[in-house]
Amino acid sequence: MEYSTIRPGFLFFRKAIFLFMSMLLISCRESSENHENSGIAISFDDHFINEWHALRPLFQKYNAKVTFFVTCGKSLTKDEIHKLKELQNDGHEIGFHGTIHGKSTELIASLGPQKYAETELFPGLKYLSEAGFYPKSYAHPGGNHNDEADSVLFANGFKILRDVAISRRKLYGIPVYTLAPRIMSWIFYPFGHERKVDALLIDTDAELKEEEMNEAIEKAKQTNSALMLFGHEPLHSAPQNGEYGFDVRFLEKILKEAKRQKLRFYTMSQLPDVNKTAF
């Protein structure tokens, strides 16, 4: 899947500058002695209802709570609605990922804010509400958005908006940058009631390593923050025929390490409500 928010230009350089400043200051910082809120917030995008539901035993094994960002709500079958309700009853969150999975910047530019909402937000939210779901968190389709789109989303009741972060970027097969997740400060939620956040892609094409994830989990623990991750389809073998998703075995390693480090599992809409000093 292609992400327009690896927004060539402005966003990359903004984050690069932020990273540079963070590294300059890192020697002056001390890890938080309070690990009370340290946690992990994992989410999944699109419409892989059956595949997500099949992971229930894995989530239960580690007492993990996650967020499912659903798109194309009109196509939900009765069986899929039932499965989403089971996931919700387990303590997972059902978020929203758009009605048509469109690029918000293009929709707003061509239709205007109101028509954008009428096209991308209202129909899908109606389908979900009729099925008994009332999303409070939103994942930008393709990671595409701007301040105008964010304003429309907040005006329509969303508590938190999730964007995309990728640790490795290639252009025409040529590596552009590689960042260790532990130094990507923007994927760690600092519990300052932020409502615009970035989560790290864990799909197979992100080429993340177990050691890198363990280091990031350790950082969340030491800094009393929440590591934010996301993926798409659960895969039990190498991707085929255009599949895009994460290795289930890799996810289990993340869940296992998070539990070992005694991190809390957060759903996305929980994050803005957590105080720095208490859960």
Side-chain angles (χ1 to χ4, degrees):
M1 172 171 283
E2 180 180 351
Y3 288 99
S4 56
T5 72
I6 313 302
R7 296 178 281 254
F10 175 72
L11 180 58
F12 172 73
F13 287 112
R14 185 183 71 181
K15 289 185 175 178
I17 291 172
F18 180 81
L19 173 62
F20 176 70
M21 295 303 295
S22 297
M23 294 177 69
L24 284 178
L25 296 172
I26 196 168
S27 62
C28 300
R29 294 179 177 172
E30 296 180 357
S31 296
S32 172
E33 295 181 359
N34 176 15
H35 307 309
E36 183 173 314
N37 295 333
S38 58
I40 187 167
I42 305 175
S43 53
F44 305 100
D45 292 3
D46 290 347
H47 199 105
F48 302 104
I49 315 300
N50 295 323
E51 293 83 358
W52 294 338
H53 185 266
L55 294 183
R56 283 184 78 201
L58 180 62
F59 296 135
Q60 291 166 353
K61 178 179 179 180
Y62 295 98
N63 195 28
K65 302 297 183 287
V66 304
T67 302
F68 301 102
F69 287 108
V70 178
T71 190
C72 304
K74 186 177 182 179
S75 66
L76 284 171
T77 65
K78 289 184 178 180
D79 181 62
E80 287 176 331
I81 291 171
H82 174 72
K83 288 177 176 177
L84 283 175
K85 286 185 175 179
E86 283 194 329
L87 290 168
Q88 183 172 258
N89 290 338
D90 287 344
H92 303 298
E93 178 180 357
I94 307 302
F96 190 44
H97 195 41
T99 301
I100 63 172
H101 202 274
K103 293 183 178 180
S104 63
T105 55
E106 294 180 3
L107 289 172
I108 284 181
S110 61
L111 302 176
Q114 182 60 32
K115 286 292 184 180
Y116 156 66
E118 292 173 0
T119 301
E120 183 66 289
L121 304 184
F122 299 159
L125 290 173
K126 180 176 181 291
Y127 302 140
L128 288 176
S129 66
E130 290 173 347
F133 305 108
Y134 306 92
K136 291 299 180 184
S137 57
Y138 187 87
H140 297 292
N144 179 277
H145 68 108
N146 56 21
D147 288 341
E148 190 171 18
D150 293 346
S151 296
V152 174
L153 290 161
F154 284 135
N156 281 281
F158 289 101
K159 291 174 59 176
I160 190 166
L161 309 179
R162 202 218 67 207
D163 201 345
V164 170
I166 296 181
S167 62
R168 289 170 173 80
R169 178 66 169 166
K170 294 180 180 179
L171 186 62
Y172 303 113
I174 301 173
V176 176
Y177 67 80
T178 299
L179 299 174
R182 71 178 184 277
I183 65 172
M184 297 173 67
S185 302
W186 50 92
I187 65 171
F188 295 88
Y189 193 84
F191 298 112
H193 309 295
E194 292 80 4
R195 299 176 68 196
K196 298 182 184 183
V197 301
D198 298 274
L200 179 67
L201 179 70
I202 62 169
D203 284 355
T204 57
D205 57 358
E207 301 178 358
L208 290 167
K209 304 295 189 292
E210 181 180 354
E211 181 181 358
E212 292 178 311
M213 295 313 305
N214 289 347
E215 291 173 348
I217 290 169
E218 174 66 21
K219 177 176 178 177
K221 180 74 172 182
Q222 295 303 321
T223 58
N224 198 32
S225 60
L227 172 64
M228 295 175 288
L229 309 173
F230 88 103
H232 293 90
E233 180 181 7
L235 300 176
H236 298 272
S237 59
Q240 298 179 11
N241 302 320
E243 287 180 322
Y244 58 96
F246 59 92
D247 187 325
V248 173
R249 293 167 298 181
F250 187 60
L251 174 64
E252 179 162 17
K253 290 177 180 178
I254 293 171
L255 298 178
K256 184 177 181 179
E257 181 65 15
K259 184 175 181 179
R260 188 187 74 80
Q261 292 276 359
K262 298 181 180 180
L263 295 184
R264 295 180 180 272
F265 286 96
Y266 293 101
T267 61
M268 293 305 297
S269 67
Q270 285 180 321
L271 293 175
D273 294 333
V274 179
N275 294 322
K276 278 181 173 285
T277 57
F279 177 69

